[in-house]
Amino acid sequence: MGSQLELLEAEALKLSAGDRAALAQLLLSSLDEDTGIEEAWDIETARRIEDIENGVVQLIPLSDALAKVRAALK
């Protein structure tokens, strides 16, 4: 009989591509040593969305942003 890892691998390969991708993401994220990073990004994302919705910040079109970057690089 194979090892537990080989059994898990065989079962995982029976999953759909989407389910395998989700499982891979879950396994990779479990390796992150600093779990606080995800929470910090969630908080920052929520803050930025709130700033946009409340008009605290003004969005600019991507084409304008890229034009400014290109001009700065010249």
Side-chain angles (χ1 to χ4, degrees):
M1 186 160 95
S3 72
Q4 186 175 11
L5 179 59
E6 290 169 333
L7 293 172
L8 286 170
E9 178 185 11
E11 289 301 311
L13 290 174
K14 293 177 186 177
L15 298 171
S16 69
D19 286 344
R20 287 194 317 271
L23 176 60
Q25 180 62 41
L26 182 100
L27 292 172
L28 286 172
S29 68
S30 74
L31 297 175
D32 289 340
E33 291 182 22
D34 189 354
T35 56
I37 290 175
E38 287 298 321
E39 184 178 344
W41 272 115
D42 289 344
I43 292 168
E44 178 64 14
T45 301
R47 184 192 66 76
R48 290 181 185 197
I49 290 170
E50 185 177 332
D51 284 351
I52 292 167
E53 290 175 344
N54 293 330
V56 174
V57 296
Q58 182 180 359
L59 300 178
I60 62 170
L62 177 60
S63 58
D64 292 352
L66 290 176
K68 288 180 182 182
V69 170
R70 287 185 183 114
L73 292 175
K74 288 183 179 183

